[in-house]
Amino acid sequence: ILLLIIIGLLSIYAFIEPKKPIPQSPKSPELPSLKNHKSATSCYSNSNFNTRDVYRIVITGGPCAGKTTSINSVAKELSKLGYSVYIVPEAATLLMKGGAMINLDGSDESAQVELQANLMQMQMALEDTFTEIASATREKSVILCDRGLMDGSAYISPELWQVILDERGWSVVHLRDRRYEAVIHLVTAAQGAEEFYTVMNNEARYEGLEAARQTDLNTQKAW
């Protein structure tokens, strides 16, 4: 089903006029809580890419929804159809594998803001790199993102999410509406298939059943 949805979306985009470039945003101001962090990556940087034949699709959802498995399966099928397929890994999983603790439970507000902002910055850098590489090939390419930037708002309070947006100079319009061609949500196994829910196959997964259900709902609302 997921493959059919994506193929349908790609067919629709094949007949849509190429997107016009989005004006470059002014440089985000340097703010106190993030004063030691400097990076050229921004949510607007992908505006410079020739993305006419590059389609960025987010596969998101709650914990243990089958995102990674689905992405790998869809990637193989799209390759058979002649697309160059790139998979952007989940930033949180990469950090966890590297030894970073990403569980925000018990962290103070400053630590939550710092961690989530860094997660998003890393995700942006990964997505932008894959987009630039795909664009340079001038081939029809699909970039499958294991989660997207708006997912971060599901793991932090609305107030702290707004702090991140304000401090980095980001906006929901650019993070959600102008960055990706499509977003597909897969429902967590904790919602209706509890016997299949596990935290054993992903280093970045730590939620219990109820927390997984709430995160799934928050992720839906985020997009």
Side-chain angles (χ1 to χ4, degrees), residues 19-214:
K19 297 171 292 181
K20 296 180 179 179
I22 303 168
Q24 187 75 4
S25 168
K27 183 178 180 181
S28 302
E30 190 172 302
L31 293 151
S33 67
L34 299 171
K35 61 184 178 181
N36 295 322
H37 180 86
K38 294 182 180 180
S39 172
T41 305
S42 80
C43 64
Y44 307 94
S45 60
N46 67 329
S47 303
N48 297 325
F49 301 146
N50 174 20
T51 58
R52 178 173 182 176
D53 293 322
V54 179
Y55 304 96
R56 292 154 297 187
I57 300 175
V58 173
I59 307 298
T60 187
C64 197
K67 295 182 292 294
T68 302
T69 301
S70 298
I71 286 173
N72 291 332
S73 178
V74 167
K76 292 179 181 178
E77 296 303 318
L78 289 177
S79 295
K80 294 177 183 178
L81 296 176
Y83 288 94
S84 294
V85 183
Y86 303 83
I87 298 175
V88 181
E90 181 185 10
T93 300
L94 292 179
L95 289 178
M96 185 68 89
K97 286 182 176 179
M101 176 56 67
I102 64 168
N103 189 343
L104 296 176
D105 293 344
S107 301
D108 60 31
E109 292 186 348
S110 177
Q112 291 182 52
V113 168
E114 188 72 25
L115 175 57
Q116 194 58 60
N118 276 290
L119 270 174
M120 294 175 67
Q121 196 77 34
M122 182 177 182
Q123 190 73 34
M124 285 181 189
L126 288 168
E127 292 175 2
D128 288 350
T129 298
F130 277 97
T131 301
E132 189 169 13
I133 291 172
S135 182
T137 67
R138 300 186 181 280
E139 298 175 350
K140 284 192 175 295
S141 304
V142 176
I143 298 177
L144 299 173
C145 302
D146 192 340
R147 292 193 176 278
L149 293 176
M150 289 300 298
D151 281 44
S153 65
Y155 293 85
I156 199 168
S157 70
E159 294 77 17
L160 293 184
W161 172 252
Q162 190 60 51
V163 169
I164 293 174
L165 297 183
D166 293 343
E167 289 191 346
R168 289 299 174 103
W170 297 336
S171 74
V172 171
V173 170
H174 282 85
L175 293 176
R176 182 189 63 196
D177 303 333
R178 296 188 179 180
R179 190 172 179 87
Y180 310 105
E181 277 63 56
V183 178
I184 299 173
H185 182 98
L186 304 181
V187 178
T188 176
Q191 187 69 47
E194 290 81 358
E195 64 272 24
F196 297 104
Y197 184 81
T198 178
V199 297
M200 302 301 294
N201 60 349
N202 190 323
E203 294 90 341
R205 187 181 305 143
Y206 54 85
E207 301 91 345
L209 285 172
E210 189 54 42
R213 295 186 189 105
Q214 187 59 53

